[in-house]
Amino acid sequence: MPKWTEYKRIAKERGALALELYVVNTVPAGPDVDLPGTLPDHLAYQARLEAEGKLAFAGPVSDASGENMTGEGMIIYRAASLEEADALAAADPMHSRGVRTYSLRRWLINEGSFSLSVGLSTKAVDFS
């Protein structure tokens, strides 16, 4: 199995996008944590990172059934390194206040597509 940097080089050589992002899986630290009370500061932090171009995507994830909210989430960062992404995650009020814990991984985007439609006069945006 090649090391991460070797695999990234190989992916680029074969013409893949090889865009490296960072995935944070975030889970409540326990049943009695104050998720609602921390949410406004968390969302303000996310908005700041989005404005700085460091936040690619973020939002809640369901449980395995796909039916229930559990307070878990996923955050995708744009960062220069794993260490920078870890610092971004650690500074999130949810994590810095001990409301959630997180795990962090590198993600290499090679394939896929998305569509974006922007209505200039209507200011409507559709992302799919």
Side-chain angles (χ1 to χ4, degrees), residues 1-22:
M1 186 71 82
K3 294 265 187 201
W4 184 262
T5 54
E6 177 68 7
Y7 178 79
K8 187 175 176 180
R9 182 188 62 74
I10 292 166
K12 281 184 177 182
E13 286 176 358
R14 73 168 186 266
L17 179 61
L19 172 64
E20 186 173 71
L21 297 177
Y22 300 88

Side-chain angles (χ1 to χ4, degrees), residues 47-112:
R48 190 182 94 227
L49 292 184
E50 182 179 333
E52 294 172 2
K54 295 178 181 178
L55 178 66
F57 302 103
V61 296
S62 72
D63 68 356
S65 75
E67 297 297 323
N68 300 303
M69 294 291 295
T70 62
E72 296 183 29
M74 183 180 294
I75 304 165
I76 312 293
Y77 292 127
R78 291 182 196 94
S81 66
L82 186 64
E83 294 76 20
E84 180 185 347
D86 189 48
L88 292 173
D92 184 317
M94 288 287 187
H95 304 136
S96 66
R97 295 178 191 169
V99 176
R100 289 183 177 164
T101 61
Y102 69 91
S103 62
L104 172 67
R105 292 199 211 181
R106 288 179 158 134
W107 181 27
L108 198 62
I109 299 174
N110 288 333
E111 300 89 17

